[in-house]
Amino acid sequence: MATSRRFAVALGFAALAAATTTKYELLDYNSQASANAMKTVGKARFTVLTDSLLRMEYDADGKFEDRPSLAFVNRMVEVPQFTSNATATGITIQTAYFKFTYEQGTGNFSTAKMLKAEPVGNSTFQPWSWGMSSDTDAGNLLGTFRTLDGQSNLTLVCSDKSPAHCENGLISTNGWALVNETGVPVLDDDDWWTDNTGKMLRNANDEDFYLFMHSKRYMEALGDYMKVGGKIPIFPRANHGVWFTRWYDYDALDVKKVIAEYEDHAIPLDVWVFDMNWHTKDNWGGYTFDTNLYPFPKDTLDFLKMKGLHVSANLHDANGILKTESQYQAACQALGLNPANPGSDAGIPFTLTNKSYVNALEDFVVLPVEQMGMDFWWIDWQQGETGGNTGQDGPRMKMNPTIWTDKMRVTDSIRRCKQGLPCTNKRGVVHARWGGLGNHRYQHGFSGDVGGLTWPNLAYQTYFSATATNVGWGWWSHDIEGPGDDHEMYLRWIQLSVLSGISRAHERGMSAGGCHNDWPTQTTDCSNVRPYNVPLSWREMNVAALRLRSALVPYIYTHTRIAFETGVGLLRPMYYHFPDSPEAYPADKNANLGQEPTTRQYMFGEDILAAPVTKSAGCGSTRGILEAPCGVTSQNIWLPPGQWYELHSGMVYTGPTTIAKGFAAWEMPMYVRPGAIIAMSPATRGTGRASQQYDAMDFHIHPGMSSGMTRVYDDDGATYDYLAGNHAWWKASYNMSSSTQMTFTVEIETSGNYAGGDKIVGLHINMATPPTKVMQGTVAVPYARYPPLMGPFWTYDGEKLAVIVRFERIAMGSTLNAALDFSAAPANWAVNGTRLMMARASAAKRNLDETRATPGSTTKIAHAGLLQSASLPDGLSYAAGHNVTQFFSMLAALPANYATAISEVTALLPPANATCPISTNTDVTNSLRTPSCPGGLSGKTQGTCCDACKADKDCAAFVFGTDNGMCWLLASYSSAAATQGRTLGQSVEYNRAQYSLDLLTKM
């Protein structure tokens, strides 16, 4: 009882009121609007909820509905200023943004003589009148639907062919959106949706509509909806990190081995999810650990907790509570059932219209597993949308098992505490599909099993995820896996997850089974869900991406707080921030979704523009004896008005413009506004980082402005204490008083009882000249070429052209004041593109090193431009702290060295008119094996065939090796080589030379 009392105080619960007050939601919402907001004319009632949101009700009995629905729970909002002029048969209502006119007819709204809304003041929405709906509005910006299970690139335009629970957006280019609440389920005074017989409690109104009239104020529309639809909760910080799950028959030891692999490769991991193999195999669903795999389940959960991981498990509820469940007897006792005859031969049937059943399931079957250490549930419902006696409202299916199982598990702890049952203060969260409008209160989303591992499906997820924010569902989670023989696609899917609401590795059974016929010698026919289970260079890129996700947790988590306050999610369509730019809107809502800029790009929070790479560079198979090189993907990026700083390259662009860029495999197109400060965690290796309170915070400043600021939200990351005001805000700002002087300030403001201990503050100033002085208050911060493990220092990162500072710890509630003086840059100081040139040169060198073909690596050459360009970053790191004059001299030499590098690599390629003794009609396709030398080399023995081909440096079809006495002919690195007069059969040396040249030139 003590826990429940503390919990109630933390949430600010009031005594239970009438049926209009929700009982077990995040907050005590009141669905009864203020009398001052309501105007009645005959059998119609109109409620002015905000200055841009109007409710319209008609009921022939004049008994209007005040109970909460699943989508609208809180109508007691501050009444906006408005005027009204009523007559016996009509009314005019006007706010700052709309004028509404109603003249009654002989019956419901369809008979009205006039029912319309017009814009006033600065409002620009297209006039609306009765008969216009979001279903037929071509301007609606759409929402989301239940799942992507087995689906590929479906339009989000709702129709009778759409997947279940397709919802239109709350916004439109026409400026209005209409939500129909007629006939939907409503809740009683115990937050329940049926009467004692299991019959749905139906909205009593004959007609019930909500009209949103926000013009292009899209984010305000979401904010208004959250006022009446309830708040988006702040779900646990751990869930913002890196997840792993796999449909595989893991046992307790396997679990430890997988986590050890993450640790051995220094990959962050924050959430472990047991797929359905965790439970007994009596049916598709289950609630009891399979002790054949987990003899001591709590011990396994204790291990995961020791690693700092948040833990979840898969549930399929439709089977009900089987007789084989460990808690079956307890459930029967709670329900007063005879265990021998509970209602079906298998056990207790599943029903969501029987409150006693649901409470018995949650409190006697599910709760014991939670008490072992299970943090939340992955509700993997697959048995239709009328199960458990739902679907009583007809084809609209607003009464469905998806939203109800989501609701009950997110609110379980609140309910238990209020009922005096065993409970905790832990935040409720589920991982589940979308059940319709109102599901935003029960985060976060599982989009189902990916339909297929294809580039179009990957691309589609960018559009699908961002568009869902239009109905408050901004945290879709997608399966992150890749084909076993296409490491490029797998990498790009991981990179997409980094810039998604949830970053979750999962596969639906494609990583094992029949695909492993040749196991253990051949595994590439199966999918891959383990980021370390790839060749070295690909593993490095996978790991780098996941570490970036871990580093971004403070930024991402802050935006969950912003969503709680404003209703605007992490992933935002471009038109939220650039509503007057046509390029910000989908060019086509039905085709090529995610495959071109207008549906691929989105804002990842307030400061980052994300444009994930969603097509192949043409890498093809990656099964070569050496790691096959991968290409550079050409992709168009639309940059909105203003300046934009490209994170991976350091280049600055001025919009509005569309740029055509080449992106290497490790490059993730991300852009920030000049002067932006991005908060990042320096702790990105190991398990459980996201769940830990911030011990340190790095602030990354990007160039282009003389000042900037940011805020970072901080709380305990796990409990509902944030609702009582127990949290902190880090506030960071900088100011450039001149081109060589900067002040930097960080203040940590605490609220309530939140205490987080002393903090380490780091500063990264990108594209900066080396400092001549760094001060924290009146104390000089010392230079360190190689940073110490403890204590303050400043150093220089030549790869990023960044000054890095670590300051002395500061206490919560205190302020850090720092000042930096920088070296004056020479007149020819130019860094636009410098970072990219150095990174590309380094990659080009490494690629050629694999075949010992790097110019200057074995034979002395005159200039060695590639070697000098590749080694420059480390030289800059040293010179920045020892000889600033040399620093600028080395940097100034880069353009000439880089041009030389291009010439050096070009010289490695065969001339355009190269001839080859192989016959032109030879089929030189990938992995072709031939038992004798083709064309002009025929007649040679198999051994000399290979030797002869290797020796012939003008031959465009080099032999790579032998296998069972056969020569191998490799396909080209790129089919574009054919246009240069070469055949498709390129040697590995030419492959790598062409790839290195692409790296150096396709920027």
Side-chain angles (χ1 to χ4, degrees), residues 515-536:
C515 58
H516 266 317
N517 288 334
D518 297 325
W519 188 89
T521 58
Q522 172 62 275
T523 63
T524 53
D525 291 332
C526 294
S527 71
N528 186 23
V529 73
R530 293 168 291 171
Y532 48 82
N533 190 31
V534 291
L536 176 61

Side-chain angles (χ1 to χ4, degrees), residues 55-56 186 215 284 301 377 413 459 571 601 632 649 652 655 696 764 773 902 945 976 992:
R55 185 187 187 192
M56 304 176 292
V186 293
S215 303
W284 195 252
L301 294 172
W377 297 103
S413 187
L571 274 66
Q601 297 179 197
V632 176
S649 71
V652 177
H764 292 235
K773 181 174 65 174
I902 293 174
C945 162
R992 290 189 176 275

Side-chain angles (χ1 to χ4, degrees), residues 673-690:
R673 301 178 191 274
I677 307 176
I678 305 296
M680 302 176 74
S681 169
T684 61
R685 305 183 183 205
T687 60
R689 294 294 188 183

Side-chain angles (χ1 to χ4, degrees), residues 601-856:
Q601 297 179 197
Y602 52 90
M603 293 299 294
F604 188 65
E606 295 177 346
D607 296 315
I608 298 175
L609 189 162
V613 175
T614 59
K615 64 180 181 179
S616 173
C619 299
S621 173
T622 55
R623 302 185 207 170
I625 296 175
L626 293 178
E627 295 175 31
C630 189
V632 176
T633 303
S634 178
Q635 181 164 290
N636 290 340
I637 309 289
W638 175 68
L639 295 174
Q643 285 194 315
W644 294 91
Y645 175 87
E646 190 173 59
L647 289 182
H648 74 269
S649 71
M651 299 179 73
V652 177
Y653 298 92
T654 300
T657 186
T658 297
I659 59 174
K661 292 262 311 184
F663 296 97
W666 66 89
E667 293 169 350
M668 300 169 58
M670 300 166 62
Y671 302 83
V672 299
R673 301 178 191 274
I677 307 176
I678 305 296
M680 302 176 74
S681 169
T684 61
R685 305 183 183 205
T687 60
R689 294 294 188 183
S691 64
Q692 298 171 3
Q693 288 186 281
Y694 304 136
D695 179 66
M697 190 76 67
D698 287 345
F699 293 93
H700 292 245
I701 296 177
H702 301 92
M705 297 291 287
S706 60
S707 63
M709 65 176 297
T710 193
R711 298 193 310 159
V712 183
Y713 178 69
D714 191 3
D715 62 19
D716 64 25
T719 76
Y720 283 114
D721 283 356
Y722 74 92
L723 294 173
N726 298 323
H727 59 259
W729 284 97
W730 302 55
K731 298 181 179 181
S733 62
Y734 75 92
N735 183 68
M736 299 288 297
S737 57
S738 70
S739 61
T740 60
Q741 291 183 312
M742 171 188 283
T743 57
F744 175 67
T745 302
V746 175
E747 182 180 6
I748 308 178
E749 295 181 352
T750 61
S751 175
N753 297 322
Y754 182 67
D758 293 348
K759 306 294 183 181
I760 298 173
V761 174
L763 174 62
H764 292 235
I765 310 171
N766 292 286
M767 309 302 288
T769 61
T772 57
K773 181 174 65 174
V774 180
M775 304 291 292
Q776 181 177 356
T778 59
V779 179
V781 177
Y783 166 77
R785 171 69 174 97
Y786 300 106
L789 294 177
M790 304 288 289
F793 69 87
W794 78 264
T795 192
Y796 197 87
D797 182 346
E799 284 189 274
K800 298 180 179 178
L801 297 179
V803 175
I804 299 175
V805 186
R806 185 172 70 201
F807 298 102
E808 286 280 9
R809 285 182 175 271
I810 64 171
M812 297 286 285
S814 64
T815 301
L816 178 147
N817 292 297
L820 297 89
D821 291 349
F822 298 94
S823 306
N828 64 347
W829 163 261
V831 295
N832 200 20
T834 299
R835 275 180 57 180
L836 185 58
M837 285 191 285
M838 293 189 296
R840 291 292 188 88
S842 178
K845 171 188 175 295
R846 178 177 177 181
N847 176 58
L848 293 172
D849 285 344
E850 290 290 336
T851 53
R852 303 191 188 281
T854 308

Side-chain angles (χ1 to χ4, degrees), residues 312-333:
S312 181
N314 177 286
L315 289 182
H316 291 88
D317 288 297
N319 303 133
I321 305 171
L322 302 179
K323 292 180 178 180
T324 52
E325 299 293 349
S326 61
Q327 297 299 316
Y328 171 71
Q329 295 288 337
C332 286
Q333 184 175 357

Side-chain angles (χ1 to χ4, degrees), residues 42 79 204 324 347 357 447 488 495 499 546 628 699 761 868 935 966 1001:
V79 180
T324 52
Y357 171 87
S447 67
E488 179 196 17
Q495 291 172 347
L499 299 175
L546 292 172
F699 293 93
V761 174
Q868 290 194 51
M966 296 182 181
T1001 58

Side-chain angles (χ1 to χ4, degrees), residues 32-338:
Q32 172 73 61
S34 169
N36 295 330
M38 296 185 290
K39 299 296 177 181
T40 302
V41 179
K43 303 299 177 65
R45 183 172 72 170
F46 305 98
T47 306
V48 185
L49 294 167
T50 75
D51 55 17
S52 299
L53 176 57
L54 179 72
R55 185 187 187 192
M56 304 176 292
E57 303 167 85
Y58 181 88
D59 186 68
D61 296 328
K63 298 179 180 179
F64 302 109
E65 183 63 78
D66 290 321
R67 291 171 294 180
S69 70
L70 288 167
F72 293 88
V73 294
N74 190 60
R75 303 183 191 98
M76 180 58 75
V77 294
E78 182 179 353
V79 180
Q81 288 189 347
F82 72 94
T83 60
S84 64
N85 183 16
T87 68
T89 59
I91 191 170
T92 298
I93 298 172
Q94 184 166 332
T95 72
Y97 290 106
F98 72 83
K99 178 181 178 181
F100 173 78
T101 305
Y102 171 68
E103 187 68 28
Q104 70 184 24
T106 58
N108 62 15
F109 286 148
S110 63
T111 71
K113 296 177 181 179
M114 185 177 295
L115 183 57
K116 67 179 184 179
E118 305 167 279
V120 297
N122 295 326
S123 195
T124 59
F125 69 87
Q126 295 297 310
W128 174 90
S129 60
W130 181 255
M132 300 170 65
S133 75
S134 290
D135 288 337
T136 57
D137 174 23
N140 191 274
L141 289 166
L142 313 181
T144 196
F145 48 64
R146 172 180 173 267
T147 179
L148 290 179
D149 279 305
Q151 307 292 342
S152 296
N153 308 312
L154 288 180
T155 178
L156 293 175
V157 177
C158 295
S159 72
D160 57 2
K161 297 181 181 179
S162 298
H165 319 319
C166 187
E167 290 284 357
N168 295 302
L170 298 173
I171 56 177
S172 166
T173 56
N174 288 323
W176 59 265
L178 187 69
V179 176
N180 183 0
E181 282 281 280
T182 305
V184 301
V186 293
L187 308 180
D188 67 12
D189 59 1
D190 202 39
D191 280 16
W192 195 250
W193 61 348
T194 70
D195 62 19
N196 291 335
T197 68
K199 183 179 179 180
M200 185 187 88
L201 299 175
R202 188 179 299 270
N203 185 335
N205 288 326
D206 294 331
E207 294 175 318
D208 196 343
F209 294 88
Y210 292 77
L211 182 60
F212 291 74
M213 298 164 283
H214 291 80
S215 303
K216 292 183 178 180
R217 296 176 290 114
Y218 301 136
M219 290 188 278
E220 288 185 38
L222 291 173
D224 277 359
Y225 175 59
M226 299 306 150
K227 291 176 183 177
V228 294
K231 284 184 172 290
I232 295 171
I234 303 179
F235 56 88
R237 188 167 56 232
N239 293 28
H240 295 72
V242 177
W243 296 38
F244 178 84
T245 185
R246 182 185 182 196
W247 187 20
Y248 197 75
D249 208 33
Y250 285 129
D251 61 23
L253 186 58
D254 293 329
V255 170
K256 294 179 179 179
K257 288 180 177 178
V258 172
I259 291 171
E261 291 280 7
Y262 270 81
E263 292 175 328
D264 290 346
H265 292 96
I267 305 173
L269 182 63
D270 302 291
V271 179
W272 175 275
V273 185
F274 292 96
D275 208 325
M276 56 182 293
N277 304 82
W278 74 276
H279 60 68
T280 53
K281 309 305 187 293
D282 301 285
N283 211 312
W284 195 252
Y287 304 98
T288 303
F289 267 99
D290 184 345
T291 54
N292 295 312
L293 298 173
Y294 303 96
F296 304 101
K298 189 176 185 306
D299 179 67
T300 299
L301 294 172
D302 286 346
F303 167 79
L304 294 169
K305 292 299 184 184
M306 181 269 293
K307 292 294 183 179
L309 298 174
H310 223 211
V311 186
S312 181
N314 177 286
L315 289 182
H316 291 88
D317 288 297
N319 303 133
I321 305 171
L322 302 179
K323 292 180 178 180
T324 52
E325 299 293 349
S326 61
Q327 297 299 316
Y328 171 71
Q329 295 288 337
C332 286
Q333 184 175 357
L335 289 168
L337 296 176
N338 179 357

